[in-house]
Amino acid sequence: MIFITVGTQLPFDRLINLFTEWQEYSRYGGDVIAQVGEGSHFTSSRIKVVDSLSSDQYYHWFSRADGVVSHAGMGSILSCLDYSKRGVFLPREYALGEHRNDHQLDTVNAFERQYETLYFCTDKESFFNAMNVLVENIGVEVQPMVPKNESELGKNIAAYLGLGGRLP
């Protein structure tokens, strides 16, 4: 099952429409649950669509998903790492009126290539490629994530919070 989430603030129909385009192209026939946001006009006969979810409902679907498709929100990215889920992320773009600024593009640039099971996309081709890889790996266990390049700042923050690492 693929779980799609757009976060709690705004609908993100570009992500949902891109997914359905890939779904049609790939002939993916697995179950899909999509949280599309209040105000979305998206409907589908092939996807279970909900506007919003409570926290319990969100984690119910999230924990059962074989893969997650999401906006590039920090909550979704960190949840994929916490729950060892494969994730495909598309950032909202300011130029397209999808957010107040381009902080999600900054997030993609910061996280890109840091984790083998998180795929960050900025266009249709990379999104389709990421979706194909995600589906090809359904059933392959995801090992708990360890960042490839831990920074000194990250180590110090983790140590300060008592999460490991070290302080000088």
Side-chain angles (χ1 to χ4, degrees):
M1 181 269 288
I2 292 176
F3 177 61
I4 304 172
T5 180
V6 301
T8 58
Q9 295 183 18
L10 303 165
F12 190 17
D13 286 350
R14 182 168 63 97
L15 172 65
I16 306 297
N17 290 330
L18 197 55
F19 177 85
T20 58
E21 191 176 335
W22 168 83
Q23 185 183 35
E24 187 70 28
Y25 163 81
S26 69
R27 301 178 187 239
Y28 177 74
D31 292 335
V32 181
I33 309 295
Q35 176 267 316
V36 297
E38 300 288 340
S40 173
H41 302 290
F42 179 77
T43 61
S44 173
S45 61
R46 298 179 59 198
I47 299 173
K48 177 181 171 75
V49 177
V50 296
D51 289 343
S52 62
L53 297 168
S54 70
S55 180
D56 288 344
Q57 292 169 323
Y58 176 88
Y59 283 106
H60 168 83
W61 292 115
F62 192 96
S63 65
R64 285 163 178 75
D66 297 308
V68 175
V69 176
S70 176
H71 69 131
M74 288 302 296
S76 297
I77 294 167
L78 295 176
S79 291
C80 280
L81 294 173
D82 286 346
Y83 285 80
S84 299
K85 297 290 182 183
R86 293 181 194 285
V88 174
F89 301 93
L90 182 74
R92 297 174 190 269
E93 294 186 29
Y94 173 77
L96 300 175
E98 296 169 337
H99 221 308
R100 295 176 286 276
N101 56 43
D102 277 329
H103 72 278
Q104 290 197 356
L105 282 171
D106 295 335
T107 299
V108 166
N109 290 331
F111 276 84
E112 193 169 35
R113 295 187 178 87
Q114 295 296 314
Y115 301 95
E116 293 178 6
T117 57
L118 303 183
Y119 315 104
F120 297 93
C121 313
T122 55
D123 58 32
K124 178 179 173 178
E125 181 180 357
S126 62
F127 182 84
F128 274 37
N129 289 337
M131 287 304 306
N132 291 336
V133 171
L134 184 142
V135 169
E136 288 168 8
N137 285 288
I138 286 179
V140 177
E141 185 176 348
V142 175
Q143 298 300 314
M145 304 294 169
V146 176
K148 290 180 178 175
N149 300 315
E150 289 189 22
S151 69
E152 283 301 311
L153 176 62
K155 290 177 187 174
N156 289 336
I157 291 171
Y160 181 78
L161 296 173
L163 301 175
R166 58 180 162 64
L167 286 173

